[in-house]
Amino acid sequence: MDRKIKVGVYGATGYTGFELLKLLLGHPRVSLEFITSETYQGKRFSQVFPCAIDKELVASEKADPSGVEAVFTCLPHTTAMQTIARIDRPDLKIIDLSADFRFEDPAVYQQWYGTTHTAPQLLSASCYGLPELFRSRIARSRIVGNPGCYTTSVILPAAPLVAGNLLEPGCEILADSKSGVTGAGRKAELAYNFCEVDENILPYKVGRQHRHVGEMESVLGALAGDNSLRVVFTPQLAPWSRGILSNLYLRTEAPAARIRAAIEEAYRGEPFVRVLPEGQAAHLNWVRGNNLCVIGVHPVPGTRTVVISSAIDNLIKGASGQALQNFNLVFGLEETTGLAIPSVRA
């Protein structure tokens, strides 16, 4: 029987933490050693979420990372890097689901998150964790900065066109994204109450205000070799529990067939990306509860615009499923281990 990899989870009682626990407990190579919560320490997980996971929650300071080979940090930004700096050791693999290790440059992190990075010495050991683009680097890294949910839904469809220089010079990437309420986290705030969200849709931080814009521009700008690349982003809170639907509006003079071919070639053989047939748009029913990103390609006749649609589950491909994908890579496992691959039909 294959050896079990001992794992701990910091911050297990958010929505992403819950999804991660379900995935880890179904992973054939994982032994879950501890789970933490400051709010619910001393309780069993089944007392927080009505489920069959009956493991005790401990305070972060009381968890013993010396006995594990990997940890997942499902903590708020700044809290994550403080915890990681405290527990870090050369043989510990860390998958961080916060924003703290998504940027190579601590100045860019400070620009978008409004706070100084307190563990810049660890950034050289980290890698941006989007497997489809940075698989080999992730496999060699000790700390993986798991991407944001909105950013995953925008970067994956845009990357082949940016990297292939298929957009008009100076073209701004216009991204319209709608997310279910779990994307806001598990917290009691008026804006996320049922009566506020039901039968409503709420644009917020329109333009270049949302923190994920910095992440999108950093990654796509590096792929394009153009630090001036800009993303105009409209995130919207939508009246469903989970899933992100993004539509990108891009200016290009390339023929429609070339645009489609570039995206299909980039993701040929990728287990968790599906490029849909011509005329088919992405939608949420294909991705809820799984680790897929589905992409639709829509040329607009009579214009120089192409619309790219994409859909992901914000809690899976946008967070916990992608984190498990990265875990598999850093331990040299088959990338799909513990992650079901559903079929997608047009």
Side-chain angles (χ1 to χ4, degrees):
M1 181 179 292
D2 289 328
R3 180 184 68 85
K4 296 280 190 177
I5 300 167
K6 294 183 178 180
V7 169
V9 176
Y10 288 88
T13 55
Y15 292 127
T16 58
F18 184 22
E19 294 293 335
L20 180 61
L21 291 191
K22 290 189 288 185
L23 290 171
L24 290 174
L25 290 170
H27 194 291
R29 293 290 303 278
V30 166
S31 173
L32 186 60
E33 300 298 303
F34 66 78
I35 56 176
T36 81
S37 171
E38 306 313 303
T39 304
Y40 300 105
Q41 57 181 287
K43 292 187 175 183
R44 307 199 77 79
F45 192 84
S46 57
Q47 293 176 279
V48 181
F49 284 96
C51 66
I53 303 171
D54 203 36
K55 197 169 184 66
E56 184 180 0
L57 292 153
V58 300
S60 174
E61 294 285 345
K62 293 184 178 179
D64 181 12
S66 66
V68 300
E69 299 166 75
V71 297
F72 293 83
T73 48
C74 306
L75 300 169
H77 73 277
T78 71
T79 302
M81 60 185 164
Q82 292 167 14
T83 298
I84 289 168
R86 175 174 60 83
I87 67 173
D88 180 59
R89 64 176 198 266
D91 61 340
L92 181 66
K93 303 292 188 181
I94 299 167
I95 314 296
D96 178 33
L97 282 79
S98 83
D100 289 352
F101 290 90
R102 295 176 187 166
F103 298 91
E104 293 182 358
D105 185 346
V108 178
Y109 175 85
Q110 183 171 355
Q111 174 190 348
W112 287 97
Y113 283 82
T115 188
T116 301
H117 201 291
T118 59
Q121 73 281 4
L122 296 179
L123 292 176
S124 61
S126 69
C127 174
Y128 188 71
L130 194 55
E132 289 78 12
L133 301 184
F134 306 112
R135 183 171 283 112
S136 61
R137 287 183 59 193
I138 293 166
R140 301 191 304 269
S141 294
R142 196 161 55 79
I143 301 172
V144 179
N146 212 59
C149 52
Y150 277 131
T151 55
T152 296
S153 75
V154 170
I155 290 174
L156 281 174
L161 308 186
V162 167
N165 196 30
L166 294 176
L167 303 183
E168 286 188 359
C171 170
E172 293 166 344
I173 294 173
L174 308 183
D176 175 287
S177 300
K178 299 171 180 66
S179 174
V181 185
T182 53
R186 189 171 184 243
K187 53 194 173 187
E189 291 186 11
L190 178 61
Y192 312 128
N193 285 355
F194 176 80
C195 291
E196 302 297 320
V197 175
D198 187 41
E199 299 188 58
N200 190 21
I201 191 160
L202 176 65
Y204 63 101
K205 295 185 178 179
V206 174
R208 295 184 66 248
Q209 300 181 65
H210 196 284
R211 290 165 170 171
H212 283 184
V213 171
E215 194 178 330
M216 297 172 194
E217 291 182 350
S218 293
V219 175
L220 293 173
L223 291 173
D226 179 7
N227 291 332
S228 68
L229 182 145
R230 290 292 175 262
V231 175
V232 179
F233 177 52
T234 303
Q236 294 156 80
L237 186 67
W240 54 75
S241 61
R242 59 196 299 163
I244 289 176
L245 180 67
S246 289
N247 289 301
L248 280 60
Y249 302 85
L250 306 169
R251 297 293 294 272
T252 178
E253 295 183 356
R258 188 177 176 196
I259 295 294
R260 170 171 287 279
I263 297 174
E264 288 179 340
E265 181 59 32
Y267 298 121
R268 195 180 310 281
E270 286 292 344
F272 297 116
V273 180
R274 299 285 189 276
V275 182
L276 299 170
E278 187 173 346
Q280 182 67 64
H283 59 77
L284 298 181
N285 284 345
W286 281 322
V287 300
R288 283 196 184 98
N290 66 56
N291 199 50
L292 286 180
C293 174
V294 296
I295 298 173
V297 183
H298 316 279
V300 183
T303 75
R304 299 196 308 276
T305 298
V306 61
V307 180
I308 311 293
S309 60
S310 76
I312 64 169
D313 186 318
N314 57 292
L315 298 178
I316 308 294
K317 184 58 174 169
S320 301
Q322 190 143 259
L324 194 62
Q325 208 179 336
N326 284 318
F327 170 86
N328 289 336
L329 285 171
V330 298
F331 281 97
L333 305 177
E334 180 65 37
E335 197 168 324
T336 58
T337 306
L339 293 163
I341 308 176
S343 62
V344 173
R345 296 181 180 178

